[in-house]
Amino acid sequence: NAGVMQNPRHLVRRRGQEARLRCSPMKGHSHVYWYRQLPEEGLKFMVYLQKENIIDESGMPKERFSAEFPKEGPSILRIQQVVRGDSAAYFCASSLSGTTTRETQYFGPGTRLLVL
Amino acid sequence: EDKVVQSPLSLVVHEGDTVTLNCSYEVTNFRSLLWYKQEKKAPTFLFMLTSSGIEKKSGRLSSILDKKELFSILNITATQTGDSAIYLCAVLRETSGSRLTFGEGTQLTVNP
């Protein structure tokens, strides 16, 4: 069974460019979460999506950041007009169910974004 | 605001030592606590704890939750160099829509 897939694994952008990060959940999982890990800090929740729906985006900056999880294809985290402070590791996780105590989130390998 | 505090922040031991990692939390409507191991890439799931006092075990790793005192410990016995990693503690709320709140992690280094 393939785990959570993320690509690219490393992404370098110049200030002002756009960054697109992709996440394919584990097979059968319909719940996707994005987390950001800044250097020397813990993982911070950004957004929780189900297919075609944003359930909780309370951790996502109001400007420049958006996320989607279309009916077909991977979930996309999009950062417009990147700034140096966006440099971080972005992790995607998926779960089978969002509401059952027994379900846990399984993480992908992350995308390391570097903004020059 | 939910708070998860891990200690120590870093720990250096020798192979064969036993280590105890701590995680305390302040969470409204607590549902469960999870431990992950993060090496260079993806955090890998270790344990999910929901009930107090029930030890979960996997090989040399074990963990227990105390919901009265609001903390959990992760024990690793007979440590090996392959145990070197960041160990992350996270909590899940009943009403959070499944978002995890993480602590800063404990960086464990096991020297030969």
Side-chain angles (χ1 to χ4, degrees):
Chain A
N1 281 329
V4 178
M5 313 276 283
Q6 288 188 250
N7 68 81
R9 296 289 302 278
H10 299 273
L11 184 60
V12 179
R13 285 286 177 265
R14 296 194 179 279
R15 278 178 298 169
Q17 291 184 319
E18 179 180 287
R20 276 185 183 238
L21 288 62
R22 292 173 190 78
C23 169
S24 296
M26 284 179 72
K27 191 175 180 182
H29 285 192
S30 59
H31 298 253
V32 164
Y33 314 80
W34 285 93
Y35 293 84
R36 177 165 65 174
Q37 188 172 38
L38 293 166
E40 310 299 325
E41 289 188 20
L43 284 149
K44 296 279 193 290
F45 169 81
M46 297 181 75
V47 61
Y48 163 36
L49 310 105
Q50 292 178 31
K51 286 281 186 183
E52 299 184 278
N53 284 309
I54 296 175
I55 307 302
D56 180 359
E57 57 182 346
S58 59
M60 201 148 71
K62 296 279 185 277
E63 295 178 354
R64 302 187 298 109
F65 285 72
S66 62
E68 62 176 8
F69 189 15
K71 190 176 178 183
E72 302 290 337
S75 175
I76 308 278
L77 179 68
R78 185 178 172 213
I79 312 172
Q80 295 178 288
Q81 298 174 332
V82 294
V83 301
R84 288 217 174 107
D86 297 331
S87 296
Y90 291 83
F91 288 94
C92 169
S94 73
S95 68
L96 190 60
S97 163
T99 58
T100 306
T101 302
R102 292 175 189 276
E103 296 301 333
T104 191
Q105 295 175 27
Y106 295 92
F107 281 79
T111 293
R112 271 127 186 105
L113 172 65
L114 176 62
V115 180
L116 301 176
Chain B
E1 190 178 318
D2 296 344
K3 200 172 169 185
V4 178
V5 178
Q6 292 187 244
S7 65
L9 289 181
S10 68
L11 188 56
V12 180
V13 300
H14 288 105
E15 267 192 320
D17 288 351
T18 292
V19 297
T20 299
L21 310 183
N22 303 290
C23 175
S24 64
Y25 61 90
E26 293 174 24
V27 175
T28 308
N29 296 325
F30 173 87
R31 183 160 93 201
S32 54
L33 184 146
L34 294 87
W35 285 96
Y36 287 86
K37 177 183 181 183
Q38 185 179 21
E39 295 170 272
K40 296 240 186 249
K41 37 189 181 178
T44 50
F45 171 73
L46 295 175
F47 298 111
M48 175 187 272
L49 303 150
T50 307
S51 302
S52 249
I54 299 173
E55 186 183 47
K56 293 222 171 174
K57 218 168 155 53
S58 176
R60 296 176 294 102
L61 277 67
S62 63
S63 184
I64 198 161
L65 174 68
D66 185 329
K67 287 166 80 171
K68 186 178 173 188
E69 299 297 330
L70 308 182
F71 78 91
S72 173
I73 59 171
L74 175 68
N75 275 324
I76 310 175
T77 58
T79 51
Q80 301 170 359
T81 54
D83 295 327
S84 297
I86 297 173
Y87 290 84
L88 299 167
C89 171
V91 295
L92 201 53
R93 285 167 56 177
E94 286 288 354
T95 54
S96 67
S98 297
R99 61 188 289 179
L100 289 169
T101 299
F102 281 88
E104 287 193 18
T106 294
Q107 170 76 64
L108 174 66
T109 303
V110 181
N111 289 324

